[in-house]
Amino acid sequence: MRFYTEFSKSNKDSYTWNRSLPPSRSMFEAGDLALYFGYASEYKAIKLKNPHLNFDVAMMPQVGPTATKLTFGRMYGVGVVSASKNQAGAFYAGTCLGF
């Protein structure tokens, strides 16, 4: 973690980032950032934003050799209130959100 935080310390030779810069995903989409830590589910949206980018998705770097790989995900759920007058319509609308 120290390695990544060094880039935001203005007194270091490695200083390259501050809060005035655009979000990292925007910089990556513009081709101005070499490495972006995000979700694999963002792949299609990034490709749509800049189809000329040549990139792929990989596992997060791991700390030392270990049998258990650590990662992080994001999950969404759709719920419909049982008192809903149109449960089928509510469920359909919820699933059309694209999550």
Side-chain angles (χ1 to χ4, degrees):
M1 186 59 122
R2 186 181 309 144
F3 172 78
Y4 295 106
T5 59
E6 295 289 312
F7 295 105
S8 66
K9 295 179 181 174
S10 59
N11 62 332
K12 300 286 185 178
D13 290 336
S14 57
Y15 174 68
T16 55
W17 182 87
N18 63 55
R19 293 187 190 279
S20 69
L21 293 171
S24 57
R25 178 169 160 180
S26 298
M27 289 185 67
F28 184 75
E29 290 169 341
D32 296 328
L33 185 65
L35 180 66
Y36 171 66
F37 292 106
Y39 299 99
S41 61
E42 295 176 303
Y43 184 89
K44 263 204 281 189
I46 293 171
K47 270 302 209 190
L48 284 173
K49 193 81 169 182
N50 187 346
H52 303 290
L53 282 179
N54 183 13
F55 71 100
D56 205 348
V57 175
M59 288 278 295
M60 288 290 289
Q62 303 292 307
V63 178
T66 178
T68 305
K69 300 292 183 193
L70 302 175
T71 189
F72 181 77
R74 196 171 29 186
M75 291 186 281
Y76 296 95
V78 175
V80 177
V81 178
S82 62
S84 174
K85 292 181 182 178
N86 184 356
Q87 288 183 353
F91 183 76
Y92 177 76
T95 57
C96 288
L97 296 175
F99 296 124

